[in-house]
Amino acid sequence: MPALDLAQEELGYLTPEAMSEVAEALQLDPGYVEGVATFYSLFHHEPIGKHRFYVCTNLSCMLRGASGIVDHVKQAIGVERSDQVSADGLFSFEEVECLGACEYAPMMRLDHRYHYDLTNESVDKLIAEIRSPSTPDSVPSPLTPALSPKGERVRKARPTRKKANG
Ligand code: FES
């Protein structure tokens, strides 16, 4: 799944070629990789916005105003449905089931980060931060590989492990 996530992050969605490449790289059956990619709703097979809002609309979030947050996200990015992308190609959204952070309802995931206790103003602020030219285009996620200025992947130094005695 992390490999599929990386491919999706790079391409914006999973193409058949990307899934085949993941299968080949991990020496897995292509049918198995496709099965995983089509089972989970976090993988997309059509182009989506570069940044995607995953707004939780399960019980706790719904009781604390999630439907208003969904309406506000749709209005703010200028789409009606989850299969649409904002005119600038930057945003799309979808409603998702519980993300396991009910105590911070209403909440959502934007790309790989969780955002809690949402208000219309906090949603606007997130959108403005991404659209602002003074803000880096994307915040690196734990899955984003570090790249050198030449675009080569930089390996992170790993802490050395202490050998167990006896
Ligand atoms: S109901 Fe929204 S995080 Fe659980």
Side-chain angles (χ1 to χ4, degrees), residues 41-68:
S41 61
L42 69 145
F43 295 122
H44 304 282
H45 305 277
E46 301 288 332
I48 60 169
K50 189 169 183 183
H51 304 279
R52 192 159 175 95
F53 293 96
Y54 299 86
V55 185
C56 173
T57 52
N58 216 306
L59 186 59
S60 299
C61 288
M62 196 52 94
L63 289 173
R64 304 232 341 133
S67 62

Side-chain angles (χ1 to χ4, degrees), residues 104-136:
Y104 304 110
M107 60 81 62
M108 70 178 172
R109 200 184 98 191
L110 172 58
D111 300 328
H112 295 288
R113 285 174 185 256
Y114 278 20
H115 298 274
Y116 305 123
D117 300 317
L118 296 171
T119 61
N120 290 349
E121 292 72 30
S122 63
V123 169
D124 289 342
K125 194 169 169 224
L126 288 168
I127 293 170
E129 282 171 6
I130 288 174
R131 283 193 169 139
S132 165
S134 62
T135 304

Side-chain angles (χ1 to χ4, degrees), residues 21-39:
E21 230 178 281
V22 167
E24 195 180 322
L26 299 178
Q27 298 179 341
L28 293 170
D29 180 76
Y32 173 76
V33 171
E34 188 179 338
V36 170
T38 52
F39 180 78

